[in-house]
Amino acid sequence: MPKDNRNICHSKTFETIYNLYAKDIRRFLFFKTQNVDRAEDILQEVFIKLWDNCSKVDYDKVKSYTYTIANNMFLNEVKHQKVVQSFNKHNKKESTNESPEFILLEKEFMEKLQNTIARLPEKQREVFLLNRIEKKKYKEIAINLNISVKAVEKRMHQALVIMRKEIGNV
Amino acid sequence: MKTFNTNNDSDIFLAKWLEGELSDNELKNLVSEDDFSAYLKLRKGMDVSEKLDAPITDTFEKIQNKIEDRKQKVKPLYKNWSIGIAASIIALFGLFMFLDNDKVSIETGFGESRSIVLLDGSEVLLNSKSQITYNQDGWDKERTINLVGEAYFKVAKGEKFTVITDNGSVTVLGTQFNVNSTQDFFEVICYEGKVGVKTTEYDYVLLPADAVRKVNGYPSEVSKTSLNEPTWIDGESTFKSVPLRYVIIALEDQYNISFDTIDINDADVFTGSFPHNNLNIALKTVFETLNITYNEKENRNIKLGYKE
């Protein structure tokens, strides 16, 4: 049984490895690509490749292996994108892969943001999480908390003002 | 544009903006440039962090499906291969069928004559405006040619050689003969060997210098020729008691002209010949002997009439 646990070709083990690293790799890929969808796509490719090579990969090195594939796949994608871009340039087409006001989200910023959310005052945090995580409308939150919509909006506004202060200059 | 720059809304506009009730441009007017870009980044950061924290189980399902799909694809791929192979076999067969039925068709235009050597060494001389078709495949077993118009055959010895026309068929073993099947005019002249002619009414066996002719449904008649080979081969068309109508057709085919025959009796019989290389002499030899005048009314249209 312990042997099976370390065999990546075993679907249970494979799933465990996935659950262990997938989120981090997606995050890692996002900071590389700055694009959630692309990160998601590459993540899938990474684990398909891991499955293909399950018998060749040492269980103890699977983490570094997956990160290496992720990085290589990202680089391959960049290479491909460059080809596509130069092709588009060659054909004098407008490349529209990024919006003009492209905002780079650095790893540090994202960490800071999450810390800030965690450290919001209780009232603001409650409204913020209900709105952002539970996807509730201000009206629903107002009913839930038995306060006015205006009060909800005020707390949300304050949450943003606090976050903006915490984040500092960007 | 809505104005939120009132005192009432000054403490909730960020909430409105985050909910999409206030546009980016409207926000831009309410805050400093630094604040504006900071808020944009905050919003994006929040969106992304939610997505990055989203459960990964969906993605795992997608990965499993992709792996499954690929496994299953092995079979469809094989299937596709077999379909492909089947298709190419059919295509090949089709091609061979085509080649099997490879009908050769040779046609001559106005005033053109052609000499064709068949696979067995038999020779066909095709007069103007005539066409032969034959099946190249299995020629050694069945020598059959379809003819429209006039042709002279020098058949090499071998299996039965058959010329099929609309007016009847000609069967030989190895000989030289001329077949003229123009519209309802049908004439076969044997120059060498033995020629079997089969019309709708009679079967004939022609010996050298024998000729059989069938015109427009009249009973066919047998006659003799003194020539060794048809004269058209040497650039001259020869007729022996042929209704003028067919002579005119021969002239038309040879010179690519047309005749207006409304004023003449085209059933008159003509005996003689016309050359293939000189229209004036041809017209003169054919029509002067019959006391017929010829005037070129329009280009290549000749009006025939009797002398006053």
Side-chain angles (χ1 to χ4, degrees), chain B residues 150-165:
Chain B
E150 185 169 18
Y152 174 56
F153 295 89
K154 287 181 185 171
V155 178
K157 287 221 165 25
E159 291 298 310
K160 212 163 73 170
F161 186 103
T162 310
V163 180
I164 298 169
T165 74

Side-chain angles (χ1 to χ4, degrees), chain B residues 69-95:
Chain B
D69 275 2
R70 234 178 14 177
K71 271 187 202 158
Q72 282 169 356
K73 256 176 200 159
V74 177
K75 270 179 198 169
L77 196 66
Y78 181 69
K79 223 190 232 167
N80 285 343
W81 263 101
S82 51
I83 289 169
I85 290 166
S88 12
I89 288 171
I90 290 165
L92 268 173
F93 262 107
L95 205 63

